[in-house]
Short mmCIF file of all heavy atoms in Angstrom, two decimals:
data_model
loop_
_atom_site.label_atom_id
_atom_site.label_comp_id
_atom_site.label_asym_id
_atom_site.label_seq_id
_atom_site.Cartn_x
_atom_site.Cartn_y
_atom_site.Cartn_z
N LEU A 174 10.19 -13.95 -11.83
CA LEU A 174 10.22 -15.22 -11.11
C LEU A 174 10.36 -16.43 -12.03
O LEU A 174 11.10 -17.38 -11.72
CB LEU A 174 8.94 -15.39 -10.27
CG LEU A 174 8.89 -14.65 -8.94
CD1 LEU A 174 7.51 -14.82 -8.31
CD2 LEU A 174 9.96 -15.16 -7.98
N PHE A 175 9.66 -16.40 -13.18
CA PHE A 175 9.54 -17.61 -13.98
C PHE A 175 10.13 -17.50 -15.39
O PHE A 175 10.09 -18.48 -16.14
CB PHE A 175 8.07 -18.02 -14.08
CG PHE A 175 7.39 -18.13 -12.74
CD1 PHE A 175 6.39 -17.24 -12.37
CD2 PHE A 175 7.79 -19.08 -11.82
CE1 PHE A 175 5.77 -17.32 -11.13
CE2 PHE A 175 7.18 -19.18 -10.57
CZ PHE A 175 6.18 -18.29 -10.22
N SER A 181 14.13 -24.56 -10.67
CA SER A 181 12.75 -24.67 -10.19
C SER A 181 12.71 -25.02 -8.70
O SER A 181 11.82 -24.56 -7.97
CB SER A 181 11.99 -25.73 -11.00
OG SER A 181 11.91 -25.37 -12.36
N GLU A 182 13.66 -25.84 -8.25
CA GLU A 182 13.68 -26.23 -6.85
C GLU A 182 13.92 -25.03 -5.94
O GLU A 182 13.27 -24.89 -4.89
CB GLU A 182 14.76 -27.29 -6.61
CG GLU A 182 14.45 -28.67 -7.21
CD GLU A 182 14.58 -28.72 -8.73
OE1 GLU A 182 15.20 -27.80 -9.30
OE2 GLU A 182 14.06 -29.67 -9.35
N LEU A 183 14.84 -24.16 -6.33
CA LEU A 183 15.12 -22.97 -5.51
C LEU A 183 13.92 -22.01 -5.50
O LEU A 183 13.59 -21.44 -4.47
CB LEU A 183 16.36 -22.25 -6.03
CG LEU A 183 17.71 -22.82 -5.60
CD1 LEU A 183 18.85 -22.10 -6.28
CD2 LEU A 183 17.85 -22.74 -4.08
N ILE A 184 13.29 -21.84 -6.66
CA ILE A 184 12.10 -20.97 -6.71
C ILE A 184 11.00 -21.55 -5.83
O ILE A 184 10.32 -20.82 -5.11
CB ILE A 184 11.62 -20.79 -8.16
CG1 ILE A 184 12.66 -20.02 -8.97
CG2 ILE A 184 10.28 -20.04 -8.19
CD1 ILE A 184 12.31 -19.86 -10.43
N ALA A 185 10.81 -22.88 -5.89
CA ALA A 185 9.79 -23.52 -5.06
C ALA A 185 10.07 -23.30 -3.57
O ALA A 185 9.17 -23.00 -2.79
CB ALA A 185 9.73 -25.01 -5.38
N GLN A 186 11.35 -23.43 -3.18
CA GLN A 186 11.70 -23.24 -1.77
C GLN A 186 11.48 -21.81 -1.29
O GLN A 186 11.13 -21.58 -0.13
CB GLN A 186 13.17 -23.63 -1.55
CG GLN A 186 13.42 -25.14 -1.57
CD GLN A 186 14.89 -25.46 -1.36
OE1 GLN A 186 15.77 -24.86 -1.98
NE2 GLN A 186 15.16 -26.41 -0.48
N THR A 187 11.68 -20.84 -2.18
CA THR A 187 11.59 -19.43 -1.77
C THR A 187 10.22 -18.81 -2.00
O THR A 187 9.97 -17.69 -1.55
CB THR A 187 12.65 -18.59 -2.50
OG1 THR A 187 12.47 -18.74 -3.92
CG2 THR A 187 14.04 -19.02 -2.11
N THR A 188 9.32 -19.54 -2.67
CA THR A 188 7.97 -19.00 -2.90
C THR A 188 6.87 -19.86 -2.27
O THR A 188 5.71 -19.48 -2.28
CB THR A 188 7.68 -18.91 -4.41
OG1 THR A 188 7.76 -20.22 -4.99
CG2 THR A 188 8.64 -17.96 -5.11
N PHE A 189 7.25 -21.05 -1.77
CA PHE A 189 6.30 -22.00 -1.19
C PHE A 189 5.34 -22.58 -2.24
O PHE A 189 4.28 -23.11 -1.89
CB PHE A 189 5.51 -21.37 -0.02
CG PHE A 189 6.40 -20.91 1.09
CD1 PHE A 189 6.72 -19.57 1.23
CD2 PHE A 189 6.95 -21.81 1.99
CE1 PHE A 189 7.55 -19.13 2.24
CE2 PHE A 189 7.78 -21.39 3.01
CZ PHE A 189 8.09 -20.04 3.14
N LEU A 190 5.70 -22.46 -3.52
CA LEU A 190 4.97 -23.17 -4.57
C LEU A 190 5.58 -24.57 -4.71
O LEU A 190 6.73 -24.80 -4.32
CB LEU A 190 5.11 -22.43 -5.90
CG LEU A 190 4.49 -21.04 -5.99
CD1 LEU A 190 4.91 -20.36 -7.29
CD2 LEU A 190 2.96 -21.11 -5.90
N ASP A 191 4.81 -25.51 -5.28
CA ASP A 191 5.40 -26.82 -5.50
C ASP A 191 6.19 -26.79 -6.81
O ASP A 191 5.94 -25.97 -7.70
CB ASP A 191 4.34 -27.92 -5.50
CG ASP A 191 3.32 -27.75 -6.60
OD1 ASP A 191 3.67 -27.95 -7.77
OD2 ASP A 191 2.16 -27.39 -6.28
N VAL A 192 7.15 -27.71 -6.93
CA VAL A 192 8.06 -27.72 -8.08
C VAL A 192 7.30 -27.89 -9.39
O VAL A 192 7.64 -27.24 -10.40
CB VAL A 192 9.12 -28.83 -7.91
CG1 VAL A 192 9.98 -28.95 -9.18
CG2 VAL A 192 10.01 -28.54 -6.71
N ALA A 193 6.28 -28.71 -9.40
CA ALA A 193 5.52 -28.94 -10.63
C ALA A 193 4.86 -27.65 -11.11
O ALA A 193 4.84 -27.35 -12.31
CB ALA A 193 4.47 -30.02 -10.40
N GLN A 194 4.32 -26.88 -10.18
CA GLN A 194 3.68 -25.61 -10.55
C GLN A 194 4.72 -24.62 -11.07
O GLN A 194 4.48 -23.91 -12.04
CB GLN A 194 2.95 -25.02 -9.34
CG GLN A 194 2.18 -23.73 -9.64
CD GLN A 194 1.03 -23.94 -10.60
OE1 GLN A 194 0.46 -25.03 -10.66
NE2 GLN A 194 0.70 -22.92 -11.35
N VAL A 195 5.89 -24.60 -10.44
CA VAL A 195 6.96 -23.70 -10.90
C VAL A 195 7.37 -24.07 -12.32
O VAL A 195 7.53 -23.20 -13.19
CB VAL A 195 8.17 -23.77 -9.95
CG1 VAL A 195 9.36 -23.01 -10.55
CG2 VAL A 195 7.81 -23.20 -8.59
N LEU A 198 4.84 -22.86 -14.81
CA LEU A 198 4.93 -21.43 -15.03
C LEU A 198 6.18 -21.06 -15.82
O LEU A 198 6.15 -20.16 -16.67
CB LEU A 198 4.90 -20.70 -13.69
CG LEU A 198 3.54 -20.73 -12.98
CD1 LEU A 198 3.68 -20.29 -11.52
CD2 LEU A 198 2.53 -19.84 -13.69
#
Side-chain angles (χ1 to χ4, degrees):
L174 280 175
F175 307 113
S181 297
E182 289 74 16
L183 279 175
I184 294 176
Q186 286 180 313
T187 56
T188 60
F189 300 101
L190 296 171
D191 62 71
V192 174
Q194 183 65 28
V195 171
L198 289 166

